[in-house]
Structure formats: structure tokens, C-alpha cells
Amino acid sequence: MWYLSCKKFWRASRLVHSGGTGKRNVTEPTRTEKYDKPPDLVILTTKAVDPSVRPYVDYNEVWTKGPDDLRQWEQIAAVAEFTTGTQETFTNQSIEARDQIERRLFQLSVTPVRTHSYGFTVVNTTLIIYLLTPSGLFHSPAIECTHVTLVTLLYRLLHLSDTELGVLAFDLLQPLTPLSPPLKLPYPPLNNLTPTSLRPPSAPPLLSTSISEVVFRRFKATGRATSAFRAECAYGDGSRVERAVSLVFTESERERNEESCRIQDLIAKATLEERKGLSRTLECARSEFSLGPELHSEDLHEEEEERRKIWEKEREKGEKDKLVTPPLVYRSVEWTVHEECFESIYTVKSTRELVVVLIGALEGLRSLHALGFVHGDPSDANIMIDSNKEGRLIDYNLSLDKNRTETTRLERSGTFPFLARAVLKGEKSFRHELWHDVESIIYVCIVVAFRTSPAFGDDAKMSNEARSFWTSWRTDGGRISKESLCGARGRNDIVNAFQPGWDGLGKVLEVVYPYCGLTSKFTEFVSFEENDKELAKPWREGTTEEETLIKLINELKPPLHPVLSTKSGHVYEKELVLKYLKDNEGRDPVTGEALTEDDLVEVKTAPSTPAAPPRPPTFTSVPALLHVLQGEWDSVMLECLELRKQGAELRQELSHALYKEDAAMRVLARITRERDEARSALASVKATLGAGFSAEPSAGGDVEMEVEAEAAAGGLTGDAKSRVEATVATLSGGRKKRKAAEGHATAADIEAYTTSTTIPSLHGTKPPGVSAIGLAKDASLIVTGGLDKNVQIYDRETSKILSTLKGHTKKVTAVVATKGLTDDALPKFVVSSSLDKAVRVWFPNGNKTVYGSAGILTTGGEVNALSLHPSDSLVASASSDGTWSIHDLTTAKPSTLLTVSLPEDAPEGTANTAIAFHPDGGLIAVGSSDSTIRIFEAISTKCVATFPGHSEVGGGAIAALAFSENGYNLASSAASSAQVKIWDLRKLSNSGNIDLAEGAVVNALEFDSSASFLAAAGTDLRVYANKTWAQLLVTDDNASELTGVSWGALGKEIVTSGLDRTVRIVAPKAE
């Protein structure tokens, strides 16, 4: 933990204010959009400064562009404010610094990828640290800020991971535009809570989630913060299927979680008609319910749990008001994936569109009520628009059972500006009812009409009158302002505050007002309790008030597809009148006469286009016409700008295409010239050698090519196949009879091993390090490969370097030496691989260099690993292009017999990183960058088994593979996994695991010749006993990472190589 004192460092403190009754009401600080200046100190996330991703953006740009630049905002991890001044101004400076840091923290926390945020202020010599979580704002006591204190705080902040700083996703350093790469969320980022009924057993698993566009984010409304985004979800078990969905982030309360899950389950089981106006959830996940991150959870929870016990006791006694401060609410960050893409309610552009959304929201209330619940929080964030431009009600975290009688339902909850008057009053007898949600929807419609642009969270373009209403609604005083809607004057003031273009909305709202008590009839009641009793009569006496209200609003919509009745002369909306005729036995809705679809004549204003609703009379005024013309001019200019951008992009694409064509023509010209020169040279040679020379390939050459093609297509053939079969027959037959040789090292011997010999200063210093090792001639010769691109052969008898083999142009990745020796007692072949895409074969040449090049075998990618066949005549290589090859060492010039690609189910771009022959020579194990291990038959090259590798324990590319000498077990390690896995080849299962310390690395593995011990080299050298996998030996005297390990004869010594240019020999202590 990074805080300085242990228990009393953090103190829960929420901002409070006094209401008119003197009662202290807990509220959250108001979100703001003020970007006056950058913070005095910004701490960036790890990813922001990771050069492998991209350079970070100047944070000054972040603070001036605002929160819509989501991908630049994500790079900020924590903020700080510094202020100095005199003792007299200390109090004012402290308040100003606190307000500044408050705004910064809320600016950080409105992103969809952050669960909490940190900041601190320094005023003169006083330090205060702040933590913002879904449960509220916390701060530390005042701390004396000394040099040591500040340095310690910064040190511990900088050593927190991005996840501990609240960041859930990364690589977001570019502006979020339709052309930007998607914002990746790790899956599962939170604890999965999806009820079983939401996803059938056969449904494919969710692989990943990526946010591509912001739909809604709130900044200034006090209350619960809801954010909605357009996202891409990838599903599939074998294949990847992309699906466009809506992703919604909310703050979930612990006390409401059970009902929220039950509602999602009911909606999933409901039919389309039963869930009309609601949204089905495909995936749901949340973090743990807490007051803060795990770093401080113990300290934050202790005092709060004690306060909650006292609170519950007082509430049971009915003495709730005696408590000074209510307990904090345990919240979590929850994200839900909805079945289709949504738009924000602020995208509606006309009264008709808003009426359609309003009807959808009311239908959602009705459907939810039929399922047995009251929504509890209709707001601008919870009413979305689906693909049919209809309203959908989402976010059921505050929904309550309509028959519930517990006191939980009596508590005030919801988004402050949209709370009903009775909810704001908060009397003891108050119960949240359906009509309170209807009243909240009215306020949402009004706020939509207040704005001039569809941008969410933007009130800068409100009129002064609208801003006055909006400001008051965000406080307890908003109840008085909302009361004015009960009178005609107050309603006119609201309508006059609407922006131009919302004509007719006041008439629609007039229909809705009586259904939630916003009429003069209800002003005569003394209390909201009597008001609600009067309202409850039509809602509870069997009358379906929701149906009546929806029908009345439908009648107000101007027709989009108007039709004229030839019998009555009335104009109807085609869709509605056809539905009415179907439900009422073909009767005219107005006259009641018989009416059929043939009696309806479509009213057309333009070919193939629906009739536009008539322009309101107010548009005949000069200011209104100027406003319309200005809007049309803006639209034309925007379209012109888009056309210019498209033209510029097309010109750029054309220039690239022309450049590519020119380059291609130049290449063709060069190849043609080289062909002509080759033909000319060939003709000259033929003229010199005479008529007996023929340039045509011989029959023998044709046969050889056919054999090679056959081998590549169907596996090994000919002599190579015979050698493998003979080796398998010889070695597999005696497998069960294999026993440890006499005099082989025992477990007790190995436990006493220590570093007996150190061979320093091998290979060059630019760059330094031994990257690979192999033993030859009973371990008297050590073959090493280095980062300096060379291969060296070290003679232990003379303690000198016998030969240095040069030729590779990049780092050497692996070396092997054959067991067979020449008359000079030297290995017949030494084979090396490198990142230069080449496998080089070296042989004794009898010269001063001792070894020379026997051949160079090129591959399609960087060669990462080698393995020698038990027959001593074949060698296998693994390449980064996803292929592996078998090379023949017995021919006059070494050759590649075959090259095999990974199966089609391997992910695109998968590289092969490790390879090993089975001790019998009949199988080949190949490890890949997708953390998967595949077993192939050496002769047929068929993939006969697949192991999942280390995908469940860190994953990463397979770093090393090793077969036990008896052929039963396969050991593996991976780049990002602190675990060695043991695979049983008889049962094709994971038979054991060896856990290492966190952060430990294993670069090489090898079993001894008796299959009794396993050596693992990386961070250090460790030896384990087979079957029990008990640790027998650890040596950590290496200065750098170990890169290779080999056993000596009879297990009497272990030879390792490392990046410190040193080869170490671990053996029994000298007597």
C-alpha cells in the first residue's frame, strides 16, 4: 500500500449541504466541464509512455480539448494541485485547491474505463490526498508535506499498476473517431454476473469487447453516472464472429443488486411484446461491491461497517433522523452489453421524433410494471433510441419490486435533475410509484428541448431561461421550480425556454401532465401523501392508465405516411389506422362507418418519399426563418467540407496507386533486363562448350524434383523415411527396459551440487551474452551461440576456444552438435540457427579454423529453435513465419527435406518458438506464440495432438520444450508464465505443474538421461525430481538471465549459459 500511515490515513468524508429543514442530505459533488488550465502535476499511465505503443500526447492538449477526446484522457493516471501563499489566505487557497482537484477527479472518472481516480493537493506545507470512487469522495487528514513525504508519495504512486490506478483499458492515445482503432476492454474485466437464462448453453463465449464510439456520457448532473457506448463484441469458440452492440456503464448499489439481476433474467425470458420498450441484456459484469479499491478497502470498511450497524438499529426503531451522517453506499462499476446499438436521446431533431421516443419510454415503464417492478430512475442517460428510432428504457439498477414494503423503497434515489417532486420531498410515508417515473420522463423531454445541439452534457447553448431551470433542478430547490408546472404560467415559461424547432411539444406534455399530478387540481392538497392517494385511484382501480396515455400521445403525432379516407374525408397515419381497422372489425376511427384498406388513398408530396409534417405557423416570423436558413446554410457548408475531405483522400489514394504502379513497372523492367542478360550469357556459354551442351534439365533432375515435391506434400520419403522408421523401431522397443545407468547421480547427490567451474568472457561485448548452448564429445566440448552473431566451440581439456564460426548476421538462437565423431574426435556436424532466417551447418575442415561451412539452409522467417533427431542425421527447425522444417545432414550438401505449416485453426500470424524431437524420433513437439503446443508425426507430418499450453497461467509464446528420456512426459514453459507444465503423452493431459515465484522466467528445460530429474534455467537454475516435482537444487549466483541448460554424462554435472557472457558448470563439491 502506498499511503504513509496505516490505519488513520484515510477518513471517509462526503460533501454535504444543509436543506431547508436543517436535515443534512448527502449528495455527490457536481460534475463540471471547466477546463481553465492544466493541473500543476500529471502522472501518466504506464501505457502512455510505453514506446512500443506510441509516444504519449502532450497533456496540455488533453485538458484544453475536453472530455470528448477520450483516447487522450486515458493516458492520465493521477493529478495534483500546488498552491502557496500567506497564512491569511491559507483557508481560501485550501478551498480553491480542493475544488480544483475535485473537478479534475470527476473529469477523469467520467471515462468508461476507470473505476476510481487519485489526486492530491499541496497548500504551503499541507498535503491532502483524495480518492474518488463510485461510493463517493474520500480524503486523508492533513499531512505535513516534507521532502521525504512528497517523494515517498510520488514513488508509491508511480509504482502502482495501471489497474491499481483504476484504469481498465489501454492504448487509447488517439482521438476517438470513426476511423480510430477500437478501445479494447480486457475480458472479463469485472466479475461475470450473467444469469444463466440470458445465454443458452450452446451460445458461443464472449471473446473480447471493443468500444468504437461514445453514445452518452454525463458530466454535470448530480447523481448516478451512466455512460453508453457503441461497441463490437467478438463471440465464438472456434471462429470469431463480430457483433455490433451497445455497452452501458453504470454504478450498481449492493442493496439493489439482487433485484437488478432478477429483472434482467425476467426480461430475457419475456417475449418481444412483453418486453416492449425495454432492452435485453446479453452480457452483464461488475466489480466487487466496495467503498474503494483493494489498496484501501480494509481501512475504509472498518469504520463504515460500525456506522452501518448503528444506522440499521436506529432505522428499526424509527429514529433515522438522529444520525448525523447516513452510512456510505457500497457500489460497484457495472457494464452491460445490450442486444442492439443505441443512440442518445439528444440525437432527436423534431417533436415527432421525441414523441416516438416518449411513447417507447412509457411502454418500457408499462412492461417493467407488468413484470412487477418500478424503474426508479428515468433520466437522459437511461432512455435510449434503438435502430427503429423508438425509445428504450435501460439501467434497472435502482428498480424496485412494486409490492415491496421495506424502508429501502422509501429512500430517495435517482438522477437529481429528473427526480419527481414527491421524491425530492422525501416524506416518511413516501413510496416510489409508477407515476413518479412518468413525471421524470417529462423532465427528460423538457431538458432535450432546452438544448440547441444534439451533444450530450452540453448546456452552454441553452437560453438564459432554460439554464435557470436546469440549474435549479440540480438542487433541492428544484422542487419549487417544478411545482410551477402545475400552473399555466409556469408551463408557458417552460415552453418559451424551448429552442426553436420544438413546436407542438408543449401540447404533447399537456396530455401527460395530469397523469403525474402536474395540474392545478393537485395544488389544493396539503401534502404529497394526499396527492399520491388521489393519483393512485385511476392507476389502481383497474384502469390501464399507461394504455390510455400512450394512445392519447399517439394521436398527437403528425402523420409520417398520411392516407385519406374516401368515405369520411379524414386524414390518418397509415400504420395506425390499419392497426385500428384490424382490431375494430373494419370501422372508421371517427365516424364508425365500415372502412377497408381499399378506401384509403395515400397522400403523396414527392415521389417515393413520405410526406413531411407541415411547418409550424411560428416559422413564418422573420427570426424563425433566419434561424431555419442559418441551419440549412450550416448543413450545406458541412456537406461541402465533407466532400472536400473525401476529394483530398481520393487524390491521396490515387497518388499512392500511381506510385505503386511506377515502382512495379521499374521492377518489371529490371527483371526483364536481368532475364535478357542471363539468356545472353547462356548463349555465350553454349557457343563456348559446343553443341553437346544442353540447357534442358536431365531426367534425373526431373525425378529429383518430383520426389522433393512428393515429400513436401505427403511427409518424409525415401532414405530419410527409412532412417526414421529404423530409429523408432530400435528405440521404442527398448523403452520399458531403460533404466538409470550404473553410477548415475541420485537425488541426494544433486542436492549437494554447487557451481564448481565458471568460464567467463565468452563471445563479444557488442552486444554481450551467450544465447544458446550445446554439449559434444561427452561434454568435453561446449558449443555456444552468442548475441554477437558468432558460434564458438570451447575445449574444456585445454580451457581454450577451439573454433569461432562466423557467418550469421543476427543473434544466434540455437546450437546442436551431432554425437558422431570424426577420426580427429570432433563432432561430424555443428548446426546453428539465427534470426537472419538461416540454418547453418558446420563441419571439420582440417584447417586452422577447425570448422568450416557445409551449407546454408534458408527459411521463410526468423529461426527460433533447433532439435537433433536421435538418428544423428536429421535436424528440425522452428520459424517465426509459422512453419517448421526437417533438414538432412547426410547428403553431400545439407538440404531441406520438407517444410510444414501450422494447422488452419491456428490464429493468423502465429510464430513457432520452440521445437523438440521425441526420444524415439517418431514425434515432433512444436510450441507457438499462441501459447499452444502441437504434436506432429515426423514421417507423415500430421498433427496428432494439441495441448492448450500456458494460456490459463499468463500465456505468452512457448519458450522451451523437453521430452523425458522414457518418452512419457513433455515439459514446457512460456514467456509470460511463472509455471512449468508437465504433459502426459499417454493420457494426453496435464499431469503436473511446477509453480515458480511471481515474475520468474524459464528460458530452457532439459531432462537428464535417466528421466529422473528436470533442470529449468532462466532467472536462476532449479532442479526438480520427476513424478513428485520436488525441488532439489537452486543456484542463483548468475549475474544475468540464464539462456540454456544441458546435463553432463550420468547426471554428474549441469552446464548453463547466461547473458553475462559466462558458462557455469554445476557439479558436486570438490573433495
Side-chain angles (χ1 to χ4, degrees):
M1 298 186 190
W2 57 269
Y3 44 85
L4 307 179
S5 62
C6 204
K7 195 123 187 185
K8 297 184 178 178
F9 186 84
W10 294 97
R11 180 180 66 220
S13 174
R14 291 175 294 178
L15 301 180
V16 299
H17 71 278
S18 249
T21 61
K23 174 182 173 183
R24 302 183 70 189
N25 297 317
V26 179
T27 64
E28 295 181 15
T30 302
R31 291 161 175 80
T32 181
E33 289 176 313
K34 184 177 180 181
Y35 308 100
D36 46 357
K37 69 180 183 66
D40 296 324
L41 174 68
V42 167
I43 297 176
L44 301 178
T45 61
T46 305
K47 287 288 182 178
V49 293
D50 187 350
S52 65
V53 181
R54 60 180 72 87
Y56 67 87
V57 183
D58 185 2
Y59 73 87
N60 285 280
E61 296 182 10
V62 178
W63 232 266
T64 55
K65 289 185 178 180
D68 290 336
D69 204 353
L70 176 63
R71 292 177 178 268
Q72 293 186 12
W73 269 67
E74 186 275 335
Q75 68 174 316
I76 299 174
V79 293
E81 294 289 338
F82 294 85
T83 306
T84 59
T86 62
Q87 190 66 29
E88 291 77 11
T89 61
F90 176 79
T91 302
N92 292 334
Q93 289 173 334
S94 299
I95 296 174
E96 181 181 351
R98 184 198 67 186
D99 293 342
Q100 280 280 10
I101 205 70
E102 241 180 78
R103 291 198 293 268
R104 307 306 185 199
L105 294 180
F106 275 110
Q107 289 165 8
L108 288 178
S109 63
V110 295
T111 67
V113 290
R114 192 180 295 271
T115 57
H116 56 272
S117 51
Y118 288 104
F120 64 91
T121 61
V122 178
V123 181
N124 290 345
T125 60
T126 301
L127 167 68
I128 299 180
I129 308 173
Y130 293 84
L131 168 65
L132 181 65
T133 75
S135 293
L137 181 67
F138 303 89
H139 67 81
S140 71
I143 305 169
E144 182 180 0
C145 183
T146 64
H147 176 75
V148 175
T149 304
L150 188 58
V151 169
T152 303
L153 172 61
L154 291 175
Y155 173 83
R156 292 177 178 174
L157 266 178
L158 291 173
H159 279 70
L160 287 178
S161 67
D162 291 345
T163 303
E164 290 171 327
L165 288 169
V167 181
L168 289 180
F170 310 101
D171 301 343
L172 318 177
L173 306 184
Q174 297 299 325
L176 187 59
T177 67
L179 299 179
S180 300
L183 183 157
K184 297 288 185 183
L185 277 179
Y187 182 80
L190 310 170
N191 295 329
N192 201 323
L193 282 183
T194 306
T196 54
S197 60
L198 298 188
R199 303 180 70 236
S202 60
L206 177 62
L207 302 179
S208 64
T209 305
S210 304
I211 294 176
S212 57
E213 185 179 351
V214 179
V215 175
F216 180 86
R217 276 204 322 278
R218 179 186 294 125
F219 299 103
K220 299 191 75 172
T222 306
R224 299 170 63 253
T226 300
S227 302
F229 305 88
R230 187 164 290 108
E232 295 287 337
C233 284
Y235 289 87
D237 39 15
S239 59
R240 185 181 180 91
V241 179
E242 300 285 344
R243 177 171 182 176
V245 295
S246 283
L247 185 66
V248 177
F249 284 78
T250 57
E251 295 170 358
S252 176
E253 296 183 10
R254 182 172 63 182
E255 287 75 10
R256 309 290 180 90
N257 180 61
E258 182 179 347
E259 291 180 342
S260 175
C261 293
R262 188 152 57 97
I263 292 171
Q264 293 177 15
D265 195 34
L266 290 173
I267 293 175
K269 295 176 180 178
T271 63
L272 286 174
E273 186 64 28
E274 290 173 341
R275 64 170 185 266
K276 193 171 185 180
L278 302 175
S279 176
R280 184 172 60 177
T281 301
L282 300 181
E283 303 285 343
C284 179
R286 64 159 174 76
S287 60
E288 294 294 335
F289 290 106
S290 65
L291 301 176
E294 293 183 1
L295 291 172
H296 323 293
S297 59
E298 181 180 351
D299 301 295
L300 290 175
H301 292 179
E302 280 185 5
E303 182 179 347
E304 190 55 32
E305 285 300 326
E306 187 64 30
R307 188 207 306 267
R308 181 170 295 277
K309 291 178 183 177
I310 299 174
W311 172 265
E312 291 176 352
K313 289 180 181 179
E314 296 296 337
R315 186 169 64 175
E316 290 176 1
K317 297 177 182 178
E319 299 176 353
K320 176 179 173 180
D321 294 335
K322 288 185 178 181
L323 285 177
V324 176
T325 306
L328 293 173
V329 178
Y330 281 69
R331 289 196 177 104
S332 68
V333 176
E334 178 177 301
W335 65 271
T336 52
V337 177
H338 292 263
E339 59 185 345
E340 63 174 295
C341 291
F342 291 140
E343 295 287 348
S344 168
I345 193 173
Y346 290 114
T347 58
V348 296
K349 300 178 181 178
S350 66
T351 300
R352 190 187 192 286
E353 292 181 2
L354 185 57
V355 168
V356 174
V357 175
L358 172 60
I359 293 173
L362 292 174
E363 288 175 336
L365 289 181
R366 177 187 60 187
S367 300
L368 193 61
H369 199 256
L371 293 176
F373 293 90
V374 177
H375 187 275
D377 185 30
S379 66
D380 56 351
N382 298 336
I383 300 176
M384 292 291 168
I385 303 176
D386 63 13
S387 56
N388 296 323
K389 303 300 181 183
E390 297 178 353
R392 291 285 193 96
L393 203 58
I394 66 171
D395 186 3
Y396 318 114
N397 286 319
L398 291 182
S399 300
L400 295 168
D401 191 324
K402 66 181 180 181
N403 299 317
R404 190 170 181 175
T405 58
E406 288 86 342
T407 52
T408 306
R409 191 173 175 186
L410 308 181
E411 294 177 0
R412 185 171 71 185
S413 62
T415 307
F416 213 84
F418 309 105
L419 293 180
R421 296 161 300 135
V423 180
L424 287 172
K425 183 68 175 177
E427 296 180 352
K428 290 184 178 180
S429 58
F430 162 73
R431 284 169 53 87
H432 202 117
E433 299 289 358
L434 181 59
W435 51 87
H436 299 136
D437 288 344
V438 175
E439 184 177 345
S440 295
I441 292 177
I442 289 179
Y443 300 139
V444 173
C445 294
I446 291 174
V447 171
V448 171
F450 279 168
R451 287 168 166 77
T452 58
S453 77
F456 48 81
D458 179 10
D459 67 348
K461 297 183 181 180
M462 287 183 180
S463 65
N464 292 333
E465 296 82 2
R467 188 178 293 109
S468 175
F469 282 113
W470 176 243
T471 302
S472 66
W473 287 3
R474 283 154 44 198
T475 65
D476 275 343
R479 181 174 58 83
I480 301 175
S481 175
K482 292 173 181 177
E483 288 285 354
S484 64
L485 288 174
C486 293
R489 180 177 178 180
R491 295 179 193 173
N492 289 333
D493 291 341
I494 287 287
V495 172
N496 291 334
F498 289 171
Q499 295 295 332
W502 295 102
D503 300 85
L505 180 58
K507 183 179 179 182
V508 174
L509 296 179
E510 290 285 349
V511 175
V512 188
Y513 287 146
Y515 290 85
C516 55
L518 285 172
T519 60
S520 57
K521 171 184 176 182
F522 294 98
T523 58
E524 61 191 54
F525 297 111
V526 178
S527 66
F528 281 102
E529 181 180 5
E530 297 182 14
N531 190 335
D532 279 355
K533 287 181 179 179
E534 186 67 22
L535 274 172
K537 292 180 180 178
W539 291 88
R540 292 178 177 172
E541 291 176 356
T543 307
T544 56
E545 294 298 309
E546 308 102 312
E547 293 286 353
T548 306
L549 180 57
I550 292 171
K551 180 179 179 181
L552 289 173
I553 297 176
N554 262 317
E555 293 176 355
L556 295 175
K557 289 194 301 184
L560 188 61
H561 297 86
V563 291
L564 176 68
S565 171
T566 56
K567 292 187 176 181
S568 64
H570 290 96
V571 178
Y572 303 106
E573 170 66 55
K574 183 177 181 180
E575 179 184 354
L576 296 178
V577 72
L578 290 178
K579 183 178 180 181
Y580 185 89
L581 293 176
K582 182 179 178 181
D583 297 339
N584 295 274
E585 299 179 352
R587 296 292 177 180
D588 189 290
V590 178
T591 63
E593 299 177 356
L595 186 66
T596 65
E597 186 175 355
D598 296 334
D599 298 326
L600 301 175
V601 178
E602 186 174 355
V603 180
K604 296 183 178 180
T605 57
S608 304
T609 58
R615 182 167 290 178
T618 53
F619 272 71
T620 56
S621 65
V622 173
L625 288 174
L626 289 175
H627 176 78
V628 173
L629 293 175
Q630 182 65 48
E632 294 178 354
W633 170 262
D634 292 342
S635 300
V636 172
M637 290 299 100
L638 288 174
E639 183 178 4
C640 182
L641 176 63
E642 290 298 323
L643 290 175
R644 288 182 178 179
K645 287 182 179 179
Q646 294 176 7
E649 292 175 358
L650 288 174
R651 283 195 296 271
Q652 189 174 13
E653 291 177 3
L654 178 61
S655 65
H656 284 306
L658 291 174
Y659 175 78
K660 289 180 179 179
E661 185 201 17
D662 180 65
M665 296 301 296
R666 291 175 184 271
V667 171
L668 287 175
R670 177 175 58 80
I671 294 175
T672 303
R673 184 176 66 253
E674 292 176 353
R675 182 201 62 188
D676 295 340
E677 291 174 354
R679 286 178 175 175
S680 176
L682 179 62
S684 176
V685 171
K686 288 175 65 177
T688 302
L689 297 179
F693 173 79
S694 175
E696 297 297 326
S698 64
D702 288 341
V703 171
E704 181 181 355
M705 292 175 65
E706 291 175 2
V707 170
E708 290 182 357
E710 180 183 355
L716 293 176
T717 59
D719 180 54
K721 179 180 179 181
S722 300
R723 275 179 276 152
V724 173
E725 289 175 341
T727 303
V728 172
T730 301
L731 297 179
S732 62
R735 177 187 299 165
K736 295 182 179 179
K737 301 178 182 179
R738 296 177 190 173
K739 296 181 180 180
E742 185 178 352
H744 195 283
T746 64
D749 296 335
I750 291 178
E751 289 176 344
Y753 280 10
T754 185
T755 302
S756 62
T757 306
T758 300
I759 307 173
S761 304
L762 295 176
H763 293 274
T765 60
K766 296 182 179 180
V770 181
S771 57
I773 192 170
L775 302 181
K777 194 180 175 182
D778 293 331
S780 63
L781 296 180
I782 301 176
V783 184
T784 60
L787 299 181
D788 61 351
K789 313 168 190 175
N790 297 330
V791 177
Q792 291 183 350
I793 302 176
Y794 182 85
D795 190 345
R796 293 176 61 184
E797 295 178 356
T798 62
S799 298
K800 293 182 179 180
I801 295 176
L802 182 66
S803 178
T804 299
L805 313 179
K806 299 182 179 181
H808 285 297
T809 59
K810 290 186 179 181
K811 163 190 169 182
V812 177
T813 56
V815 292
V816 294
T818 59
K819 298 177 182 178
L821 302 178
T822 63
D823 295 337
D824 296 329
L826 294 174
K828 291 182 178 180
F829 293 101
V830 172
V831 187
S832 61
S833 63
S834 170
L835 296 182
D836 60 3
K837 303 182 180 180
V839 175
R840 286 181 175 266
V841 182
W842 314 87
F843 75 107
N845 57 9
N847 299 331
K848 291 182 179 180
T849 58
V850 184
Y851 274 84
S853 177
I856 304 174
L857 306 171
T858 58
T859 64
E862 298 175 342
V863 186
N864 294 315
L866 294 174
S867 180
L868 184 66
H869 192 266
S871 66
D872 226 27
S873 62
L874 303 173
V875 67
S877 63
S879 304
S880 295
D881 62 349
T883 63
W884 59 272
S885 304
I886 295 180
H887 314 284
D888 193 354
L889 303 178
T890 61
T891 56
K893 186 175 182 180
S895 60
T896 300
L897 297 178
L898 55 81
T899 298
V900 181
S901 299
L902 291 177
E904 295 181 355
D905 60 354
E908 185 177 355
T910 301
N912 290 333
T913 54
I915 194 166
F917 270 112
H918 189 271
D920 297 341
L923 300 175
I924 300 178
V926 179
S928 306
S929 60
D930 62 352
S931 197
T932 301
I933 302 168
R934 298 174 176 85
I935 309 297
F936 296 86
E937 287 184 346
I939 295 178
S940 67
T941 70
K942 293 180 181 179
C943 182
V944 296
T946 300
F947 296 129
H950 295 248
S951 57
E952 298 179 356
V953 285
I958 299 299
L961 294 171
F963 282 102
S964 62
E965 189 61 27
N966 59 17
Y968 295 154
N969 295 325
L970 171 66
S972 66
S973 66
S976 302
S977 173
Q979 189 180 76
V980 176
K981 283 186 170 289
I982 311 298
W983 309 94
D984 191 328
L985 299 181
R986 296 166 295 181
K987 300 178 180 179
L988 296 180
S989 63
N990 180 207
S991 61
N993 297 311
I994 302 174
D995 294 319
L996 305 175
E998 184 176 355
V1001 177
V1002 177
N1003 295 321
L1005 296 168
E1006 185 164 322
F1007 281 95
D1008 73 308
S1009 59
S1010 68
S1012 301
F1013 311 111
L1014 172 65
T1019 306
D1020 49 27
L1021 171 65
R1022 295 171 184 261
V1023 179
Y1024 301 92
N1026 195 356
K1027 296 183 180 179
T1028 64
W1029 308 117
Q1031 181 175 292
L1032 302 177
L1033 175 68
V1034 177
T1035 63
D1036 55 1
D1037 54 351
N1038 48 292
S1040 298
E1041 239 178 58
L1042 300 180
T1043 56
V1045 62
S1046 292
W1047 287 88
L1050 300 178
K1052 295 296 186 180
E1053 60 183 14
I1054 307 171
V1055 185
T1056 64
S1057 61
L1059 294 178
D1060 55 359
R1061 299 175 58 208
T1062 302
V1063 169
R1064 289 175 173 79
I1065 299 174
V1066 180
K1069 294 181 181 180
E1071 295 297 335

